[in-house]
Amino acid sequence: MNEEITHNYDLILKNGMVIDGKGTEPVKMDVAVRGESIAAIGFLEMDEATRTIDVAGKVVCPGFIDVHTHDDNAVLKSPDCLPKISQGVTTVIVGNCGLSASPVRLKDKPPDPLNLLGSEQDFRFNTFREYRDAVDSICPAVNVAALVGHTSLRVNHMPDLFRVASSYEVEAMQEDLEISLASGALGLSTGLAYATSRHSTTEEVISLASKVNKYGGIYATHLRDEFDTILDALAEAFEIGETAELPVVVSHLKCAGPDNWGRSEEVLNFINNSKYNHRINLDCYPYAAGSSTLDLGQVDERIKILITWSENHPEQSKRTLAEIAREWGVSQIEAARKLQPAGAVYFSINEDDMTRIISHPKTMIGSDGLPHDPHPHPRLWGTFPRVLGRLARDQKLFSLSTAVHKMTGLPARNFRIKNRGLVQVGYAADLVVFDAEKIADTATFENPKQTSIGIERVFVNGIESFRDGSTTGRRAGTFIQSQKPEE
Ligand code: ZN
Ligand code: CU
């Protein structure tokens, strides 16, 4: 054995309170980085490094994994990824809700809600491989892992989205999906509530999902219904997972609409008691409002609806649907019809339901931020500091270590992302240094594009990419491919 000791690290973060991502309590330790990896953890006062930073009194933890994003094109168009890196996010999972930038072969404008990802010219990736290569060549500030969206597959192979796929179309989608999985996709996502896939049957989804297991992927789903029939929608998701033998992630779990407020306990009990419970996980954002394109089915006069953009009436953005309808002298549904295509924030969630769901041990943090929206829901900029500051520290819903676990170790395990999500020797040096007393989100519904406070330093693959409120201009994100299951 070579006895030569080489303790020269590139970086040592000294005296920090290390939260390792497993959910265990913070421990005061030093963390050393060499190259892209964590090289040592412990008391390293005798060791030398090119750079040593004293982070006494600050938390050192794994970079956050945003499990639910629509950043497919944003990571390429704005590779600094300021909304993400400023929150301590070092990895984004794109391609959620059935909507992925690849593989997409458009013949026309992207149908609503695929337009959440961008406009026609943004859909340039005929194959998943092309998307992956684009990420690697642009090298965004954060790592990117991607799901393949059911709606995207439908758009490629179905001239009419408003019906069930034929067996011929299913076969073509299966092939498209398998090529993507072989190129490193993490799994399949659906958005069965959306018009573009609502007409698919459970069998259609199962025939696609059943191709995912052999690539070690997962199934993530925006449920067919988040309103009155949510239990049926959950049962469908579990049936798909069980039949296709896949772990299931229920995306942005919520009890939507005033008629369903207070049902979170019932919904969580239904999940806890499901026979497939051991392979079900959840994600949630820390707000009592959702956001998407403006959907007539979600217009409800009992709740506030904020218009964030409108193609026909851009001047109406940042106003409520109620105000616009009153001014136009029409009903809200009529106003919505005139505004479409448009974007909206729906104040359709009860705060207590949200806090109960986000506190569940299976729940990971996913922002569901919409970077293409000119006046986005504040979750795009505020989700992670809001969980750490408001929910963990101020409301004491769970410990800081649990909060970190929900955004690091838990998602890495559930999405099968290898060697990330923990402060552990040999793991990628995706690290965040933050001030637990100060950390807070500042983005609001009125002023949504605001960086949070308290995130002091963010390292991605060993490179310091964010410090004290701004990017350092150094980007080191990579594409993260799926890991084949261990034989
Ligand atoms: Zn969704
Ligand atoms: Cu989403």
Side-chain angles (χ1 to χ4, degrees), residues 68 70 96-97 222 252 368:
H68 192 106
H70 296 287
N96 278 285
C97 295
H222 172 155
H252 46 59
D368 204 6

Coordinates of all heavy atoms in Angstrom, one line a residue, residues 68 70 96-97 222 252 368, ligand 2:
H68 N -39.3 18.5 -8.7 CA -40.4 18.8 -9.6 C -40.2 20.2 -10.3 O -40.5 21.2 -9.8 CB -41.8 18.8 -8.9 CG -42.9 18.8 -9.9 ND1 -43.7 17.7 -10.1 CD2 -43.4 19.8 -10.7 CE1 -44.6 18.0 -11.0 NE2 -44.5 19.2 -11.4
H70 N -40.1 22.5 -14.2 CA -40.4 22.6 -15.6 C -39.2 23.4 -16.3 O -39.4 24.3 -17.1 CB -41.7 23.2 -15.8 CG -42.8 22.4 -15.3 ND1 -43.2 21.2 -15.9 CD2 -43.5 22.4 -14.1 CE1 -44.2 20.6 -15.2 NE2 -44.4 21.3 -14.1
N96 N -41.5 17.0 -15.9 CA -42.6 16.6 -15.1 C -44.0 16.9 -15.7 O -44.1 17.6 -16.7 CB -42.5 17.3 -13.7 CG -41.5 16.6 -12.8 OD1 -41.9 15.6 -12.2 ND2 -40.4 17.2 -12.6
C97 N -45.0 16.3 -15.1 CA -46.4 16.6 -15.5 C -46.7 16.2 -16.9 O -47.6 16.7 -17.5 CB -46.8 18.1 -15.3 SG -46.7 18.6 -13.6
H222 N -48.7 13.6 -12.3 CA -49.7 14.7 -11.9 C -51.0 14.0 -12.1 O -51.4 13.6 -13.2 CB -49.5 15.9 -12.9 CG -50.5 16.9 -12.8 ND1 -50.3 18.2 -13.1 CD2 -51.8 16.9 -12.3 CE1 -51.4 19.0 -13.0 NE2 -52.3 18.2 -12.5
H252 N -46.7 17.1 -6.7 CA -47.5 18.2 -6.1 C -48.8 17.8 -5.5 O -49.8 18.3 -5.8 CB -47.6 19.4 -7.1 CG -48.1 19.1 -8.4 ND1 -49.3 18.5 -8.7 CD2 -47.5 19.3 -9.7 CE1 -49.4 18.4 -10.0 NE2 -48.3 18.9 -10.6
D368 N -42.1 23.0 -8.6 CA -43.1 23.2 -9.7 C -43.0 24.6 -10.2 O -44.0 25.1 -10.8 CB -44.5 22.8 -9.2 CG -45.5 22.4 -10.3 OD1 -45.0 22.3 -11.5 OD2 -46.7 22.3 -10.1
Ligands
CU2 CU -45.7 20.5 -12.7

